[in-house]
Amino acid sequence: MTASPLVLSTGLLAAESVVGAAAPATGAAALAWLLIAVPAASAAILLLAGRAADAWGHWLGVAASLFSAVLGLIILAQVLGLDAADRVLGVPLWRWFGAGDLNVQLGLRLDPLSLTFVALVTCVGFLIHVYSVAYMAHDRDRRRFFAYLNFFIAAMLTLVLGDSYIALFIGWEGVGLASYLLIGFWNTADADAPQAEQFTSRENAAAAKKAFVMNRIGDVGLLLAMMACIAQVGSVAYDAVLPAAQEGTISTGWLTAIGFFLLLAACGKSAQFPLQAWLGDAMAGPTPVSALIHAATMVTAGVYLIVRSGAVFEGAPDAQLAVAVVGAITLALGAVIGCAKDDMKKVLAASTMSQIGYMMLGAGLGPVGYAFAIFHLLTHGFFKAQLFLGAGSVMHAMSDQVNMRRFGGLRRAMKLTWITMGIGWLAIMGIPPFSGFWSKDKIIEAAFVGDGARPWILGTIALLGAGLTAFYMSRLFFMIFHGTPRWTTAKDIEGEVHPHESGWLMTLPLIVLSVFSVGLGWALSIGDTFVTWLEPVTGQAGAHGEPVLPATVIMVSTLALVIVGAVVAWVMYVRRAVPTVVQRSNVMVEAARHDMYQDTINEAVAMRPGQGLVLAAGATDHYVVDGAVEGLAKGTAALGRLTARTESGSVRSYAGYMLGGTVLVLIAVLAGRF
């Protein structure tokens, strides 16, 4: 982070966004559809081939991901060679359907934003595929696992490359399905398996369902946004909706509604408040899945949606401010939860929630805020993948244990994992010159720009979040690798462990990711390279804004809080003995251990009222609907039985009925005369 004035646009500063039409793609860019088609075809082959592909299926999955990575980098190089004004290319595919005046064409849009995601998804995805070959080596369903990974990559690439909201929605649902399949991957315990294994299998299935259902809530927002776009513009294509939003064709009221709908969608997919409760449970899947979800695919999709829809939010200041507020709340919430968790993977999950909160905060600050959000998303993708894969290496060495209270001192047995995770730790804390320093700190500086109380509130939250990040990540790093060994022995229910370093298929991706964690942020900061790269999508800020505090003060304060957080963690978890069992603590810590009781709140607000509605509907169906029908039937039957009694077959009875009827008629006639 530099001390120079920050060029950015908040909701209070005017800026000109660029929503350019796409030129026809040529050369390698015209083959961009293969980025999606190849991993999708590989997934189909692996699923259809079944057990016949067990011996080689994982290598087909690796090859498919490598193909997409290589082609993606070639296309990126081609677009980098074009002038900035020419860096928006289109690849038309086919006409999907038409209804009245609505004509939906499917196509791909290649621009700096989508290609940034292509590079992240394919490169990180390929490294995760390589890592998974060894990590899943002894799993009987490794082929199926790689099929799902390939499908995940294809779905995410569909999401970011689509040239319309409907194409994005196809990929959006695809990553939702892929995450469901992978989070619940280990839910196939045999009927005769031990009770503990069957219980874990059911828990994994429940975690997958939880993620799936909560994401469907967000999907309602995206569907409503598309409906509103069709009502106002008659199209869901970016080239139609975004220029209309920018030119004022859509009223501020409708833009605000669309903005809030899109924010709801982003909250579900990116695990932002109040739809963040699924993310911790998503750790039920194999660790490479966690790395893929948190670093390069699912949770980044919401940030992409907000930045892609920048023109909408620039015309809807209230919705834009809501994005920043949601991001600020989530970054603080995730940081607090991360400070109290003992499950290594759940600490990293809370970290992702918090870091995505930073990105959402940046996305709520306008065009240059968009660039900073994507910049941090890119650097975070590499060091978060590194941290998750490092955690998987630790699990591999510790018989799949995740309780950090039973780790300690692992640096002696796992030197390479210790070094690579240490690099990721320094990067996420924002220690210069590691990547996080160049990306996250710019969001913090941008948060201090604006008028009134807003910069003080948002900036202070972002600043304090940096200190909390340093504490909980240092806590994780120290509890795993430093201090006195607290490993389980034969006397413990978990069994004795024998820590050792992982094989080269697992450590090589960690080494490669370390290179990006060290140098990527610095390389892209030279001359504001990355911000300039994104200008064809985010636009160039039309006004200069300076933070309410000098940039140097913000930078020094951030680093000071980071150092304090790390030192406090060192004192608490290295200098002092770490209990091997959880100790009762204050109310705040207990709340953080239970995810701030978000599940309890969700059950009270959504689940129980829904259950009550179901019970009421069932009672209405049984007693009112069925009761009315059954009552009518019983009444008709009773009337029939009463009538049947009059049909005795006796002539004298019939004569009596006739006489009685005649008398009644005469009485009625006579009564009518008086």
Side-chain angles (χ1 to χ4, degrees):
M1 186 174 68
T2 64
S4 59
L6 201 61
V7 180
L8 65 115
S9 168
T10 67
L12 304 175
L13 299 175
E16 179 185 0
S17 287
V18 178
V19 187
T26 58
L31 301 175
W33 59 275
L34 289 173
L35 292 169
I36 301 169
V38 169
S42 173
I45 291 171
L46 293 177
L47 291 174
L48 294 174
R51 293 295 180 190
D54 280 352
W56 48 266
H58 51 286
W59 292 117
L60 176 62
V62 171
S65 65
L66 175 61
F67 175 88
S68 292
V70 172
L71 179 58
L73 292 176
I74 291 173
I75 295 173
L76 176 62
Q78 176 186 341
V79 175
L80 278 169
L82 301 174
D83 293 335
D86 300 325
R87 288 177 177 169
V88 180
L89 306 176
V91 181
L93 296 178
W94 62 82
R95 178 179 180 273
W96 189 13
F97 67 87
D101 295 331
L102 178 64
N103 186 30
V104 177
Q105 300 280 347
L106 289 182
L108 307 180
R109 183 181 180 91
L110 307 176
D111 59 24
L113 178 60
S114 62
L115 290 177
T116 297
F117 274 83
V118 166
L120 175 65
V121 172
T122 58
C123 291
V124 172
F126 167 67
L127 292 172
I128 291 173
H129 275 72
V130 172
Y131 179 97
S132 300
V133 172
Y135 190 87
M136 302 293 290
H138 302 293
D139 195 287
R140 63 181 181 181
D141 292 318
R142 180 169 63 169
R143 166 202 46 86
R144 180 166 59 88
F145 179 79
F146 274 84
Y148 293 164
L149 283 187
N150 276 183
F151 176 63
F152 212 157
I153 296 293
M156 188 65 188
L157 291 176
T158 301
L159 189 156
V160 299
L161 285 172
D163 65 352
S164 64
Y165 286 107
I166 192 68
L168 177 145
F169 186 72
I170 295 171
W172 191 271
E173 294 304 294
V175 296
L177 174 58
S179 66
Y180 169 77
L181 295 171
L182 286 166
I183 292 170
F185 184 77
W186 282 329
N187 71 339
T188 55
D190 295 329
D192 58 350
Q195 287 296 319
E197 185 177 339
Q198 292 189 35
F199 175 78
T200 301
S201 180
R202 290 192 295 270
E203 288 291 298
N204 293 344
K209 288 188 289 185
K210 183 177 181 180
F212 191 81
V213 170
M214 293 195 76
N215 273 271
R216 301 294 71 76
I217 297 172
D219 291 350
V220 172
L222 187 52
L223 288 169
L224 290 172
M226 287 193 290
M227 293 175 191
C229 289
I230 292 173
Q232 292 298 300
V233 184
S235 175
V236 290
Y238 297 145
D239 285 347
V241 175
L242 300 183
Q246 187 180 34
E247 295 163 3
T249 303
I250 307 175
S251 68
T252 302
W254 272 106
L255 287 177
T256 301
I258 294 171
F260 276 104
F261 292 152
L262 294 174
L263 176 58
L264 174 61
C267 286
K269 197 65 71 182
S270 290
Q272 296 294 283
F273 179 82
L275 299 178
Q276 83 285 357
W278 65 268
L279 193 60
D281 291 347
M283 297 303 97
T287 301
V289 174
S290 303
L292 194 59
I293 290 176
H294 289 248
T297 55
M298 186 154 166
V299 296
T300 65
V303 181
Y304 172 83
L305 177 65
I306 298 297
V307 175
R308 174 61 75 188
S309 307
V312 172
F313 288 96
E314 289 166 42
D318 291 340
Q320 190 177 62
L321 177 60
V323 173
V325 170
V326 166
I329 292 173
T330 311
L331 78 86
L333 187 66
V336 170
I337 292 173
C339 291
K341 291 291 187 181
D342 294 324
D343 184 318
M344 172 176 55
K345 290 178 66 177
K346 290 194 175 184
V347 174
L348 292 176
S351 168
T352 298
M353 185 196 310
S354 182
Q355 297 304 305
I356 297 293
Y358 271 106
M359 299 169 206
M360 294 290 283
L361 172 60
L365 300 175
V368 174
Y370 301 150
F372 292 164
I374 300 302
F375 188 17
H376 189 49
L377 186 150
L378 180 63
T379 60
H380 172 267
F382 286 95
F383 58 69
K384 183 50 65 69
Q386 181 181 8
L387 288 167
F388 263 111
L389 297 185
S393 180
V394 172
M395 291 174 63
H396 177 75
M398 300 293 284
S399 300
D400 289 329
Q401 293 184 33
V402 292
N403 183 5
M404 298 186 299
R405 293 186 178 275
R406 300 312 301 260
F407 292 166
L410 285 177
R411 72 182 187 278
R412 301 183 186 91
M414 307 181 68
K415 286 185 172 58
L416 191 55
T417 300
W418 170 57
I419 292 171
T420 53
M421 279 197 76
I423 292 172
W425 164 59
L426 294 171
I428 196 171
M429 286 198 303
I431 298 294
F434 296 89
S435 289
F437 171 76
W438 304 98
S439 57
K440 185 174 68 177
D441 281 31
K442 288 187 176 181
I443 295 177
I444 296 173
E445 185 179 331
F448 276 101
V449 177
D451 296 327
R454 185 169 72 175
W456 294 102
I457 296 173
L458 297 180
T460 301
I461 293 174
L463 191 63
L464 293 176
L468 288 174
T469 299
F471 173 77
Y472 69 73
M473 288 306 303
S474 298
R475 176 178 179 267
L476 175 141
F477 188 69
F478 295 150
M479 288 180 74
I480 294 174
F481 295 106
H482 293 267
T484 304
R486 304 176 297 277
W487 311 335
T488 57
T489 66
K491 297 179 181 180
D492 294 295
I493 190 172
E494 297 90 347
E496 189 173 4
V497 295
H498 302 280
H500 58 279
E501 188 59 87
S502 303
W504 70 270
L505 278 175
M506 293 174 65
T507 55
L508 181 60
L510 290 174
I511 295 171
V512 174
L513 289 167
S514 295
V515 176
F516 289 96
S517 296
V518 172
L520 182 64
W522 170 79
L524 295 180
S525 293
I526 300 174
D528 288 331
T529 300
F530 190 75
V531 174
T532 303
W533 157 251
L534 285 180
E535 283 181 358
V537 179
T538 62
Q540 184 176 12
H544 295 263
E546 294 187 8
V548 293
L549 291 174
T552 303
V553 173
I554 298 172
M555 179 178 64
V556 172
S557 299
T558 302
L559 288 176
L561 284 173
V562 167
I563 293 171
V564 169
V567 170
V568 171
W570 172 268
V571 171
M572 293 180 64
Y573 299 100
V574 178
R575 296 293 299 274
R576 300 177 186 172
V578 177
T580 57
V581 295
V582 178
Q583 306 294 308
R584 290 195 62 82
S585 188
N586 57 56
V587 174
M588 188 65 178
V589 173
E590 291 297 325
R593 286 172 177 168
H594 293 85
D595 300 312
M596 306 307 287
Y597 303 109
Q598 188 65 46
D599 283 336
T600 303
I601 295 171
N602 289 340
E603 289 173 5
V605 173
M607 189 184 79
R608 290 197 180 93
Q611 289 175 330
L613 183 62
V614 170
L615 289 174
T620 301
D621 180 65
H622 180 70
Y623 293 107
V624 178
V625 178
D626 289 350
V629 174
E630 292 175 359
L632 180 61
K634 290 177 180 178
T636 303
L639 181 61
R641 287 193 296 272
L642 181 62
T643 304
R645 292 178 180 177
T646 66
E647 301 298 324
S648 62
S650 172
V651 175
R652 286 181 295 179
S653 296
Y654 295 156
Y657 298 153
M658 293 174 64
L659 177 61
T662 302
V663 171
L664 291 175
V665 170
L666 290 174
I667 292 173
V669 171
L670 292 174
R673 290 193 169 195
F674 294 99

